[in-house]
Amino acid sequence: MFAACHRDVTAQSLQHASEIMDAHPDSAFLILNPLDRSHMNDEQRAAHALLLSQSRHKIDLGNDSDTLLNDAVSYYMREHNDTMLMKSLFYRSDAYMQQRLLTDAILDASRAWDISQNIPTSTSAHYWRAKIAELIADINNHTANSVERYNWTKIAVREYGLAGREDNQIFSSIDLAFSEATVGGLQRSVEMFDSIRLLLPQYKQYPNLELFFYEAAIPVVVQHASPSEANDYFESYIQVHQRDDLSIRDKYQKAIIDIRNDSISKAINQIESLKHQPVEGWDSMLAVSAQYLLAQKLKDYRDQATLGDSLLKINVRYYMESMNQRALPIQRDYYADKARESEFKLDTLHSRSTITLSCLILILLTGIIIYFIRINIHKLQHENEARRIVALNHEVDYYRSENTSLTKALESNISDSIKHQSSLFKEKWILLH
């Protein structure tokens, strides 16, 4: 009784969380997080795992564990619910990416993409295709695979447009502008950023959009736009950022702008103050680029050669990382084929099991029917035998009654005959005497 009541309350909580998810994901999370999964059935556990992951994703808590979503993936795969399976795979892929399990992430994301292609076209279908494409682009960004990131970001922009999601589309367009620079389209990237910058006033309702835009645009613009435009971008970025102290990256970017504007002394002071600061990744490339541009301006050919060599090594390292990860699409296709093969085997096994079970049930039912038919035959045989015995008894009784009548008649005839003979004898006796 308690378990049944608990399941009813759980069902109502899951339904309410689902209804408010888009408008109030934080409230949905507060409803879902305390729920006790031990009293849920399989369907409720799957729905809870998916909804909780969705709420965490929407409020930027992240999904750093894939364990919870395994229930959802298994259940919706078993139930052949493609839409819910696609969503579960999406969130599990996101969890894998946050754990840096990138092969698992690309596998789940690819499976989700394949499923999304088979879902009937609708606004919702386009929206989920865009989200999946954006996720695949992010995974490729983690693997320094610029070409794949660029291709999937283009798909995301297109699908968000078809879904009518201008808010998501503008953010993806910024990603696309940056990706354009990473595949060599530097001037095209600057042009795209300039076009998007003109649109920013139309999207004041998204408070983080400007900051997101300038953080993406500055690394490209400071080196490849005109010096005055680069300076204008940087000043706007500082205003939007609303902070006095610049990060190491910002200081190197400002030094590059100063070098391009021939403010050499400012650039030297800035670079000298940063020389002993540890940098890595993109910042290390930015630091070497600033020092190389300064050496170029000062015509310090020795430093220029040394820094050029360092810059080349960094680029080669990134190139090698990118080349090593170019195998990822091949791995993705391979594992996707393996996944489809496993699903086919699972479906085949399920079909065979169903057929075997159906045959066993049919055999059992046939046996039961034959058993009851034989019982009825024996019953009819016994009833016929009983009727035959009753008939024989009646016949015996009939003949017995007939024999009694004959015996009585015979006895009567014999008695009459004896009486008659006796009468004749008496008459003859009298005549003789």
Side-chain angles (χ1 to χ4, degrees):
M1 183 72 178
F2 172 76
C5 292
H6 189 277
R7 279 195 292 271
D8 290 341
V9 172
T10 300
Q12 291 173 5
S13 299
L14 292 173
Q15 179 65 29
H16 183 51
S18 177
E19 290 170 354
I20 66 172
M21 180 64 70
D22 289 335
H24 305 287
D26 50 345
S27 299
F29 174 76
L30 293 175
I31 293 170
L32 295 164
N33 197 47
L35 293 181
D36 183 3
R37 293 172 57 82
S38 62
H39 295 292
M40 297 182 189
N41 57 34
D42 288 348
E43 182 180 5
Q44 289 175 336
R45 272 194 290 272
H48 176 259
L50 179 55
L51 289 170
L52 182 60
S53 299
Q54 191 173 1
S55 66
R56 292 179 66 89
H57 183 82
K58 283 180 174 290
I59 61 178
D60 293 326
L61 284 180
N63 293 307
D64 55 1
S65 174
D66 57 281
T67 307
L68 189 67
L69 283 157
N70 290 339
D71 288 341
V73 171
S74 299
Y75 177 79
Y76 293 125
M77 186 184 299
R78 191 167 63 247
E79 295 296 314
H80 300 285
N81 189 331
D82 285 349
T83 301
M84 303 303 280
L85 176 60
M86 173 192 70
K87 294 179 181 180
S88 301
L89 287 168
F90 170 85
Y91 288 113
R92 191 170 73 172
S93 174
D94 182 61
Y96 281 140
M97 183 181 71
Q98 292 181 45
Q99 297 173 71
R100 296 298 186 268
L101 301 173
L102 299 179
T103 301
D104 292 324
I106 200 69
L107 172 58
D108 272 1
S110 299
R111 289 173 64 192
W113 175 259
D114 289 342
I115 293 170
S116 75
Q117 300 305 295
N118 298 322
I119 291 175
T121 300
S122 64
T123 302
S124 176
H126 284 302
Y127 173 69
W128 276 98
R129 286 171 192 162
K131 284 177 69 68
I132 295 166
E134 197 171 48
L135 176 62
I136 295 174
D138 284 342
I139 296 169
N140 282 290
N141 181 43
H142 283 291
T143 61
N145 194 337
S146 302
V147 174
E148 281 290 293
R149 178 194 180 187
Y150 173 74
N151 291 334
W152 283 102
T153 304
K154 275 205 302 187
I155 294 171
V157 172
R158 182 194 70 206
E159 292 294 334
Y160 277 133
L162 294 172
R165 299 296 293 260
E166 290 186 357
D167 51 342
N168 297 97
Q169 189 180 32
I170 190 69
F171 278 96
S172 283
S173 297
I174 294 168
D175 280 334
L176 182 61
F178 183 82
S179 296
E180 183 76 43
T182 64
V183 294
L186 297 170
Q187 288 306 313
R188 171 64 181 154
S189 175
V190 172
E191 291 169 5
M192 290 173 71
F193 278 123
D194 288 343
S195 299
I196 295 170
R197 193 183 186 194
L198 295 174
L199 298 174
L200 292 179
Q202 301 177 25
Y203 296 95
K204 290 290 186 182
Q205 66 270 34
Y206 309 122
N208 296 324
L209 178 62
E210 277 193 301
L211 181 59
F212 181 78
F213 169 80
Y214 284 111
E215 285 184 341
I218 290 297
V220 178
V221 172
V222 294
Q223 295 192 61
H224 305 290
S226 65
S228 59
E229 186 179 13
N231 194 60
D232 181 49
Y233 263 81
F234 194 81
E235 287 179 359
S236 298
Y237 166 64
I238 297 302
Q239 287 178 354
V240 170
H241 217 297
Q242 294 182 345
R243 70 180 192 190
D244 297 328
D245 58 321
L246 299 178
S247 67
I248 293 175
R249 178 179 298 186
D250 293 338
K251 288 177 180 178
Y252 273 119
Q253 289 175 150
K254 183 65 173 70
I256 291 172
I257 293 172
D258 289 338
I259 293 167
R260 297 187 65 208
N261 281 305
D262 293 324
S263 301
I264 305 301
S265 58
K266 285 185 181 179
I268 291 173
N269 292 333
Q270 189 78 275
I271 292 172
E272 285 295 325
S273 68
L274 297 171
K275 264 191 175 180
H276 301 292
Q277 297 285 343
V279 289
E280 57 183 14
W282 178 266
D283 291 346
S284 64
M285 183 181 290
L286 202 59
V288 175
S289 296
Q291 293 173 47
Y292 177 80
L293 288 173
L294 181 60
Q296 198 175 39
K297 279 284 185 182
L298 297 173
K299 293 183 170 41
D300 188 337
Y301 299 113
R302 179 177 296 176
D303 279 356
Q304 193 174 337
T306 303
L307 292 165
D309 185 56
S310 298
L311 194 59
L312 180 62
K313 286 178 180 177
I314 292 172
N315 280 317
V316 167
R317 189 177 79 238
Y318 275 102
Y319 174 77
M320 291 304 296
E321 287 180 6
S322 178
M323 287 301 293
N324 287 337
Q325 294 301 330
R326 293 297 165 88
L328 203 59
I330 301 172
Q331 288 178 324
R332 178 194 65 205
D333 294 339
Y334 171 77
Y335 285 118
D337 288 340
K338 284 293 183 184
R340 283 190 286 270
E341 184 181 336
S342 298
E343 287 178 15
F344 175 74
K345 287 180 179 178
L346 186 62
D347 289 340
T348 304
L349 181 62
H350 179 70
S351 300
R352 287 177 181 173
S353 301
T354 304
I355 292 170
T356 303
L357 182 60
S358 300
C359 290
L360 288 173
I361 292 172
L362 183 61
I363 291 169
L364 181 61
L365 289 174
T366 305
I368 291 171
I369 291 169
I370 291 172
Y371 174 74
F372 279 109
I373 289 173
R374 292 189 65 182
I375 287 176
N376 287 329
I377 290 172
H378 285 301
K379 183 180 178 182
L380 289 172
Q381 288 175 344
H382 287 306
E383 288 177 353
N384 290 334
E385 188 70 22
R387 289 193 193 98
R388 192 172 68 81
I389 291 169
V390 169
L392 285 174
N393 285 334
H394 286 309
E395 190 175 352
V396 168
D397 290 341
Y398 172 75
Y399 283 117
R400 184 178 294 163
S401 64
E402 286 293 322
N403 287 338
T404 303
S405 299
L406 288 171
T407 302
K408 287 180 180 179
L410 183 60
E411 287 175 351
S412 178
N413 288 337
I414 292 170
S415 177
D416 290 343
S417 179
I418 291 170
K419 287 178 180 178
H420 180 67
Q421 290 297 327
S422 176
S423 176
L424 289 176
F425 179 75
K426 285 179 179 181
E427 289 178 359
K428 285 180 181 182
W429 177 265
I430 292 170
L431 289 173
L432 290 176
H433 292 283

